[in-house]
């Protein structure tokens, strides 16, 4: 993450470009005004004007007509993108409300994130940010709060970017244990404990890999008397598809099949960093879906943690098996007041909604509406999708309690997966976010470069801050 | 079509007697009478079968012995209506549909509907009628005993006149649904564009004005997109314009100033091979129903005219066959649409939107309607998105969308709203033309809707518009409460209900 300094005045260093967010139609100082007019820069959102000036580069950043923190974040993101190869960037935030100033910095940090761990000589780019303010002390608490969510998001991206040979289930668990330094209690259940718990779904999915599956349980105690909110994450460190193996083209992207678990971990970090009063837990199903002599097969029948039996149809629909057991574990052991699962679950959701909305399913209208509001506020939009009677009927099995997925052509597999998961939600308010279409960006956007997006972290953090920091909910 | 009558209650002496019973309800009226005539045997038999009137329950009692050796019905069918407080028209319709298979082997049936309000008695009959649809035109060797026998159904009610007046418009709508189902069921060698246009023309008997445009007229108009799709087929394309002037013209002969009409547009690809981007062989026979959007529009126009709806409505259908051949359109071709916008054809199997594009802009320009709703079996992606329960609803107008959702819910033709937006629109940018006709797999139904929207927002500015992607709902792979397996006629009732709720009078 950018090293952010809250300063009263810009450094006198021509190597540090100074970004000035300009709202649409706002007046500019004379030398800038002439240049802006000549270049037809009006302050429209998305416009950027890079002006070489004697004291260094000035970047005019179109901020449009900002109404929400998100709009300022996007302007901050545009500033970071415009900085190019400069190592340090200054953003002019004097005259802005403290929250808006903090949002500029948050946006810049999100956009400037890069994953360079495996590059000897990464392209140069911003590593530090000066946020120029009238009153740094007034902005500091706002920035701390915003930075918590940013850090959480970037943790999720870091984890998601890691390749499958590095971020194995064991390594993922070890990285999660590092979160204990922030006051998060981390417990990792290995194969033996999973067997004792009877989590036959997760065990089957992780069976063929050299490293066995794990269930990571993260607890943030919060400070109010309330049952925790639970985040359930799909953490398939690499997904070959198993015996129902995937086609080779594009399979490398399956290193991100743990983006849901990464997002849940990031959200926990965000809550801990900002000392949220809300108790929260995350239950993350970590496994590698490998091919092997001992791999689970289509046709196998699994006994899940809840005692239900499931007929496996397609070993590449492994996420719902792992998640179902994690959901069951959460409902039984942790009695959450609400439960949200995040998963790169289906290709069908990509066909349905593309890359601009995650699919939102669930059993509780209030929770779904709240998740939708939170997503809208942070630029992680959700779109409600149905779980119909037919979707459940399609999962009837001739031999077990239910089938893992349906068979045939043109299957609404995202709906089927949600109908499957609903069977394991118990009576808890539950929402399921299918993030397969949004976990990675195919190209850079305002709040992030090409690559993992960290989708879900800021949404969960916002959801908690809006609705779960009082003892009563619903 | 079943003959349905509303009559005063009287015990039948043959055929079936149907007893609709609410949950934990008592036997009343004819039900009580037959129970008494059997010396209480009916009540005992129902109790023995644990029949409690729950939704979905039914129980058949064969040829009960009546006191004094009186002649009675050959079967008594009790059907559960569910909880009395949940007796909505939709629930009663579904119960009516569930009756049909239980009495289909009798020639005649009496339904003891005295306990139902007259409008609900009519809804029960509507469910039964809709479920009784059968397309057997091409069966020549079916054995007599395998055919359904049911010919006449008498709905016994103490308020027969009220039930009859509720029934008259329902019957007209059912006829529209059956028409749509017939069109969808017809094989593609019979129902080509010219034949489909002829069937539209036959609706002039209902008071519809029908115009048929052939390739020459469409070429003159500049329908480059529609004609590009049809150019590979030996069967010429047609566009049919149907007008019902129920508010201003045809209603009692008193012509008034024409209203801005409501407009329905249908995709009518009478067979879709995919063209040069040919489809896989498996399941291709289903592509005869790629005209179901047009079928629904035609059925809806027939329904509106049949019940003399007080509305001005236009229905436009673009009818083509999409074939591969030496003259067929190729991937890479650029066509000019009626609106003037150009389209790069990337995939000849994304032809429906090309047909709709020309018809939508023509409709908008010629009629300047209050709104336009198009129906189309447009994308496989909508089936992958939603399955077969909901049609995909795309709209630029929240009020219209809400009304469509409500109308669909009321008539068992549910829709689910899907997103649109600029981010999706970018996916159909073309390097050589104004747009391309596919935007890739992600959000495939959405980009199809974005494509159509570009033909709604032209010249006169944006207009309220909705697009129903009915690829998943036009055909039922198994029996549904008011739809037998096969062509559903999805859309006819929805459009009719929408008009009845908001746009009449």
């Amino acid at each position: 993450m950018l090293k952010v300094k809250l300063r009263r005045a810009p450094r006198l260093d021509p190597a540090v470009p100074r970004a000035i967010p300009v709202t649409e139609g706002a007046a500019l100082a004379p030398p800038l005004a002439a240049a802006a007019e000549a270049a037809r820069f009006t302050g429209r959102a998305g416009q950027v004007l890079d002006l070489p000036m004697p004291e260094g580069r000035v970047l005019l950043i179109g901020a449009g007509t900002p109404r929400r923190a998100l709009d300022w974040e996007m302007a901050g993101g545009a500033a970071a993108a415009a900085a190019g190869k400069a190592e340090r960037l200054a953003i002019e935030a004097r005259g802005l409300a403290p929250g808006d100033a903090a949002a500029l910095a948050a946006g810049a940090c999100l956009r400037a994130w890069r994953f360079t761990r495996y590059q000897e000589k990464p392209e140069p780019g911003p590593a530090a940010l000066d946020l120029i303010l009238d009153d740094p002390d007034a902005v500091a608490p706002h920035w701390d709060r915003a930075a918590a969510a940013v850090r959480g998001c970037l943790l999720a991206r870091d984890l998601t970017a890691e390749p499958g040979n590095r971020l194995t289930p064991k390594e993922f668990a070890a990285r999660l244990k590092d979160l204990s330094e922030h006051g998060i209690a981390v417990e990792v259940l290995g194969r033996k404990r999973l067997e004792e718990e009877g989590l036959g779904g997760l065990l089957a999915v992780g069976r063929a890999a050299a490293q066995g599956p794990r269930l990571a349980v993260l607890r943030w105690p919060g400070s109010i008397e309330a049952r925790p909110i639970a985040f359930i994450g799909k953490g398939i460190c690499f997904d070959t598809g198993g015996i129902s193996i995937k086609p080779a083209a594009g399979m490398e992207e399956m290193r991100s099949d743990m983006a849901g678990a990464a997002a849940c971990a990031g959200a926990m970090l965000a809550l801990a960093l900002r000392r949220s009063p809300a108790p929260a837990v995350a239950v993350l199903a970590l496994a590698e879906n490998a091919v092997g002599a001992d791999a689970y097969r289509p046709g196998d029948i699994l006994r899940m943690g809840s005692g239900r039996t499931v007929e496996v149809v397609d070993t590449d629909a492994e996420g719902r098996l792992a998640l179902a057991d994690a959901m069951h574990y959460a409902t039984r052991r942790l009695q959450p007041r609400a439960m949200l699962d995040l998963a790169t679950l289906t290709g069908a959701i990509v066909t349905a909604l593309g890359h601009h909305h995650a699919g939102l399913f669930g059993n509780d209208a209030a929770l779904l509406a709240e998740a939708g509001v939170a997503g809208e506020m942070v630029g992680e939009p959700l779109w409600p999708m149905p779980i119909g009677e037919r979707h459940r009927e399609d999962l009837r099995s001739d031999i077990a309690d239910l089938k893992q997925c349906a068979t045939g052509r043109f299957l609404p597999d995202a709906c089927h997966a949600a109908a499957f998961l609903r069977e394991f939600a118990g009576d808890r308010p539950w929402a399921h976010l299918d993030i397969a279409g949004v976990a990675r960006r195919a190209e850079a956007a305002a709040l992030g470069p090409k690559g993992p997006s960290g989708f879900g972290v800021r949404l969960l953090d916002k959801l908690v801050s809006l609705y779960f920091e009082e003892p009563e909910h619903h | 079509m079943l003959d349905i009558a509303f009559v005063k209650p009287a015990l039948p002496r043959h055929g079936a007697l149907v007893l609709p019973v609410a949950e934990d309800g008592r036997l009343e009226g004819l039900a009580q009478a037959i129970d008494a005539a059997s010396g209480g045997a009916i009540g005992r038999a129902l109790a023995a079968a644990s029949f409690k009137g729950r939704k979905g329950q039914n129980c058949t009692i064969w040829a009960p012995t009546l006191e004094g050796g009186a002649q009675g019905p050959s079967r008594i069918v009790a059907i559960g209506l569910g909880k009395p407080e949940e007796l909505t028209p939709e629930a009663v319709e579904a119960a009516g549909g569930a009756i049909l298979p239980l009495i289909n082997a009798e020639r005649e049936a009496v339904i003891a509907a005295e306990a139902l309000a007259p409008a609900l008695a009519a809804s029960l009959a509507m469910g039964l009628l809709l479920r009784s649809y059968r397309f057997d035109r091409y069966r020549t060797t079916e054995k007599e005993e395998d055919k359904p026998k049911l010919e006449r159904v008498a709905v016994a009610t103490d308020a027969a006149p009220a039930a009859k007046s509720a029934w008259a418009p329902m019957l007209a709508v059912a006829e529209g649904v059956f028409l749509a189902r017939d069109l969808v069921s017809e094989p593609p060698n019979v129902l080509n564009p010219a034949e489909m246009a002829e069937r539209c023309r036959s609706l002039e008997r209902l008071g519809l004005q029908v115009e048929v445009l052939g390739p020459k007229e469409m070429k003159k108009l500049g329908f480059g997109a529609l004609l590009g799709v049809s150019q590979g087929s030996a069967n010429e394309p047609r566009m049919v314009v149907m007008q019902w002037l129920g508010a201003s013209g045809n209603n009692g002969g008193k012509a008034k100033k024409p209203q801005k009409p409501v407009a329905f547009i249908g995709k009518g690809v009478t067979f879709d091979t995919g063209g040069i981007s040919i489809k896989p062989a498996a399941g291709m026979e289903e592509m005869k129903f790629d005209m179901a959007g047009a079928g629904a529009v035609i059925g809806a126009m027939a329904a509106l005219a049949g019940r003399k709806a007080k509305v001005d409505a236009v229905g436009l259908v673009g009818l083509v066959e999409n074939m591969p051949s030496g003259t067929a359109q190729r991937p890479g071709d650029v066509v000019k649409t009626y609106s003037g916008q150009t389209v790069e054809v990337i995939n000849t199997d994304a032809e429906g939107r090309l047909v709709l594009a020309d018809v939508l802009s023509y409709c908008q320009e010629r009629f300047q309607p209050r709104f336009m709703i198009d129906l189309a079996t447009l994308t496989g992606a909508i089936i992958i998105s939603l399955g077969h329960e909901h049609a995909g609803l795309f709209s630029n107008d929240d009020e219209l969308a809400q009304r469509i959702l409500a109308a669909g819910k009321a008539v068992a033709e549910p829709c689910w709203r899907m997103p649109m937006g600029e981010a999706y629109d970018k996916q159909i940018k073309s390097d050589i033309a104004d747009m391309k006709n596919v935007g890739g797999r992600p959000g495939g139904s959405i980009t199809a809707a974005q494509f159509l929207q570009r033909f709604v927002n032209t010249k006169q500015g944006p207009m309220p518009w909705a697009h129903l992607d009915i690829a998943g709902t036009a055909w039922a792979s198994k029996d549904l409460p008011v739809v037998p397996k096969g062509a559903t006629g999805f859309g006819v009732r929805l459009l009719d209900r929408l008009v009845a709720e908001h746009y009449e009078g």
Side-chain angles (χ1 to χ4, degrees), chain A residues 347-357 383-391 393-394 409-415, chain B residues 282-283 286 380-381 383-390 416-419 423-424 427 441-446 477-478 480:
Chain A
I349 204 67
V350 186
T351 301
L353 299 175
H355 300 297
H356 309 296
H357 290 87
W383 191 266
M385 294 288 286
I387 305 177
E389 280 174 35
R390 288 274 295 279
H391 298 137
E393 279 170 27
D394 291 344
R409 294 192 307 148
F410 294 109
L411 293 171
D413 188 45
C415 303
Chain B
E286 291 185 355
I383 313 177
I384 295 169
S385 305
L386 299 174
H388 299 284
E389 259 164 296
H390 293 94
W416 192 271
R417 186 122 185 231
M418 295 287 285
Y424 295 106
Q427 289 176 228
R441 182 179 78 98
S445 304
I446 303 172
S477 58
K478 58 179 179 182
L480 302 172

Side-chain angles (χ1 to χ4, degrees), chain B residues 5-16:
Chain B
F6 294 83
V7 300
K8 281 194 184 144
L11 282 180
R13 297 164 61 85
H14 50 83

